[in-house]
């Protein structure tokens, strides 16, 4: 009996992690794809580790792709300075992407993120686009 309880206690975290991963994968694949325009919020800390931090520029985002207008509360996490979003990238590409993101002020670069969105649930970032192309194609 003791070994069964011990086996269950070791297996339970793995089962929970597996179920959570499957739920996220299902949400990502079955959500409505929406594209939102993004902007950086703090040039001193644009890249932190393996992710780029940004805010969604709702003024430049096409809200017609949503049924009831822009659902701002379903995107990103609340922070002191507004809603904070993250997109994870490989560390070796961080410097090049940071350089491109900082050059976007000349209006020739448009950064967008494709999300998998289901109303009432947190949106899941799927892809970072630079001028409509995957970000990997835009790096030197």
């Amino acid at each position: 009996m003791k070994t069964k309880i011990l086996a269950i206690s070791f297996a339970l975290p793995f089962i929970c992690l597996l179920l959570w991963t499957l739920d996220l994968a299902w949400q990502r694949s079955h959500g409505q794809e929406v594209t939102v325009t993004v902007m950086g919020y703090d040039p001193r800390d644009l890249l932190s580790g393996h992710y780029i931090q940004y805010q969604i520029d709702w003024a430049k985002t096409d809200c017609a792709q949503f049924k009831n207008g822009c659902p701002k509360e379903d995107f990103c996490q609340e922070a002191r300075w507004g809603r904070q979003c993250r997109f994870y990238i490989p560390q070796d590409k961080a410097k090049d992407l940071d350089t491109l993101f900082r050059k976007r002020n000349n209006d020739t670069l448009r950064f967008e993120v494709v999300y998998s969105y289901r109303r009432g649930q947190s949106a899941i970032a799927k892809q970072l686009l630079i001028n409509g192309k995957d970000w990997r194609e835009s790096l030197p």
Side-chain angles (χ1 to χ4, degrees):
M1 179 68 175
K2 201 173 195 180
T3 57
K4 287 182 182 180
I5 293 174
L6 187 60
I8 291 171
S9 66
F10 278 121
L12 191 60
F14 295 109
I15 292 169
C16 290
L17 180 61
L18 177 66
L19 292 174
W20 180 48
T21 303
L22 290 173
D23 181 53
L24 287 175
W26 186 85
Q27 284 181 25
R28 187 175 191 266
S29 65
H30 287 83
Q32 170 191 359
E33 277 198 2
V34 295
T35 304
V36 297
T37 304
V38 300
M39 61 183 169
Y41 72 90
D42 185 359
R44 292 171 295 163
D45 191 27
L46 185 62
L47 286 169
S48 296
H50 296 280
Y51 55 86
I52 185 170
Q53 295 186 66
Y54 58 89
Q55 286 183 328
I56 296 174
D57 189 351
W58 291 108
K60 294 182 180 177
T61 297
D62 177 19
C63 291
Q65 58 189 329
F66 304 100
K67 291 181 182 175
N68 297 326
C70 288
K72 299 174 184 178
E73 65 281 350
D74 291 343
F75 287 80
C76 310
Q77 297 175 351
E78 189 64 40
R80 286 179 282 152
W81 51 85
R83 298 194 74 81
Q84 174 188 350
C85 311
R86 293 180 178 174
F87 186 85
Y88 291 86
I89 58 168
Q91 185 68 30
D92 61 329
K93 305 292 184 186
K95 185 177 180 185
D96 294 333
L97 190 57
D98 181 44
T99 302
L100 272 179
F101 207 86
R102 290 176 194 275
K103 285 175 26 180
R104 80 190 184 295
N105 292 335
N106 60 13
D107 289 333
T108 59
L109 293 174
R110 181 178 174 100
F111 282 76
E112 299 171 312
V113 175
V114 177
Y115 279 91
S116 176
Y117 172 70
R118 293 179 60 101
R119 185 166 175 76
Q121 295 181 347
S122 294
I124 299 173
K126 293 176 71 172
Q127 185 179 22
L128 176 65
L129 303 175
I130 301 173
N131 290 340
K133 292 191 270 182
D134 187 80
W135 67 272
R136 290 176 209 97
E137 297 173 19
S138 301
L139 293 181

